[in-house]
Amino acid sequence: MSDFKLLFDSISRGHINAAVAETQKALDAGIRVQDILDRGLIATMNTVGERFSKGLIFVPQMLRSARAMQECTKLLKPYFLEGNITTKGKVLIGTVKGDLHDIGKNLVSMMLEGAGFTITDLGVDVLPETFVQKTRELEPDIIGLSALLSTTMPAMPLTIEALEKAGLRDKVKIMIGGAPVTEKYAQKINADSYASDAGSAVLKAKKLLGIL
Ligand code: B1M
């Protein structure tokens, strides 16, 4: 963390301008973008989460840190673009019903987009019916479901069931992810793939479509 101390301090205090300036400084200094993301931004959010668990900070502080991190990730986006962008496939992505966490989902979207996928992001708190309706409308190759709360994970199988009932399940691949989600859970609910982070989400998406 020591290399990113000022970035850590500004994100954990929710100081957006300072956090953005520190991210830009790290980019200007030639620090690897993946390190800024993993050892700077994500490591900071993990510490923010630990502080919240211990009761040292509360939801408003967590929210301010989240806003600061979101602004910093915007600066990284251009660096994740792969050279030749012809669409590799269509991805419909969203955070499941009841869940408002979107930083991880946004990172996954950003990396997939950078790798050449066309993304439709439905946002947060997405109802199973909305996934069904948008799947009919857009005919995606992959549906991505994100959940950060153990209480909202059950919305994943509910979404898969809704797609089954609508006769759409066999027409798409389903990838799931989010901190409490596991490979085992993906198998249990009959998802096609699980990714633990945004980088592996790209590899898994390519594998699902047979382009890796
Ligand atoms: Co909340 N929150 N939060 N939170 N929050 C967690 C998740 C928590 C672990 C904190 C804690 O207690 N230690 C805990 C969940 C406990 C549990 O259920 N297991 C928690 C809680 C309890 C809550 C509330 C209930 C708090 C309350 O109100 N009392 C509440 C719920 C609101 C709701 O959703 N209905 C709440 C609210 C919030 C904020 C709104 C304040 C804010 C979110 C703001 C936002 O997202 N715009 C927030 C935050 C910021 C967090 C922590 C601190 C950080 C989450 C994050 O962004 N991490 C989090 C603690 C933690 O995770 N350490 C916590 C960084 C991000 C890059 O990682 O999201 O894991 P992550 O994404 C990764 C991978 O998981 C994966 O790739 C990403 C990038 O590598 N991935 C996928 C994610 N989605 C994927 C999809 C894929 C593939 C991979 O395929 C489709």
Side-chain angles (χ1 to χ4, degrees):
M1 183 70 63
S2 61
D3 323 4
F4 294 107
K5 188 176 179 319
L6 292 175
L7 182 58
F8 172 85
D9 286 346
S10 44
I11 294 183
S12 45
R13 289 178 189 150
H15 294 165
I16 295 179
N17 292 342
V20 167
E22 283 305 319
T23 305
Q24 188 59 54
K25 245 195 249 171
L27 287 169
D28 294 343
I31 297 175
R32 282 181 60 233
V33 178
Q34 197 64 50
D35 283 342
I36 301 174
L37 183 61
D38 293 341
R39 294 175 40 230
L41 304 181
I42 293 181
T44 303
M45 287 315 286
N46 285 339
T47 306
V48 169
E50 281 160 25
R51 287 180 175 172
F52 174 76
S53 301
K54 290 179 186 157
L56 299 173
I57 60 164
F58 301 96
V59 171
Q61 285 106 315
M62 201 156 64
L63 194 53
R64 278 202 294 275
S65 295
R67 287 203 185 115
M69 171 162 175
Q70 300 265 35
E71 289 306 312
C72 295
T73 54
K74 285 183 192 164
L75 288 187
L76 306 187
K77 189 172 174 180
Y79 295 86
F80 288 109
L81 293 179
E82 276 182 10
N84 185 12
I85 309 285
T86 49
T87 188
K88 295 211 166 61
K90 284 190 269 180
V91 180
L92 184 63
I93 192 166
T95 303
V96 295
K97 183 182 170 192
D99 200 320
L100 303 177
H101 295 83
D102 67 356
I103 297 178
K105 183 261 302 164
N106 292 347
L107 272 175
V108 171
S109 299
M110 187 173 99
M111 300 282 230
L112 286 171
E113 195 182 3
F117 289 87
T118 304
I119 308 295
T120 302
D121 186 345
L122 298 179
V124 296
D125 190 15
V126 183
L127 301 176
E129 306 87 79
T130 310
F131 276 108
V132 168
Q133 183 203 326
K134 288 287 172 185
T135 300
R136 275 211 189 92
E137 199 178 300
L138 302 168
E139 301 183 344
D141 302 291
I142 297 173
I143 296 177
L145 305 177
S146 179
L148 262 286
L149 299 170
S150 31
T151 49
T152 56
M153 281 166 67
M156 291 178 153
L158 288 179
T159 304
I160 295 176
E161 275 166 33
L163 288 160
E164 267 162 13
K165 278 194 192 133
L168 296 166
R169 176 64 186 94
D170 297 338
K171 297 184 167 60
V172 288
K173 300 288 185 193
I174 296 176
M175 176 161 65
I176 65 170
V181 178
T182 60
E183 181 81 58
K184 204 168 163 197
Y185 188 68
Q187 285 164 9
K188 184 177 159 201
I189 67 169
N190 200 22
D192 298 298
S193 188
Y194 156 77
S196 59
D197 56 61
S200 56
V202 172
L203 297 177
K204 296 282 178 92
K206 287 181 178 174
K207 270 194 191 150
L208 280 176
L209 302 189
I211 48 178
L212 192 71

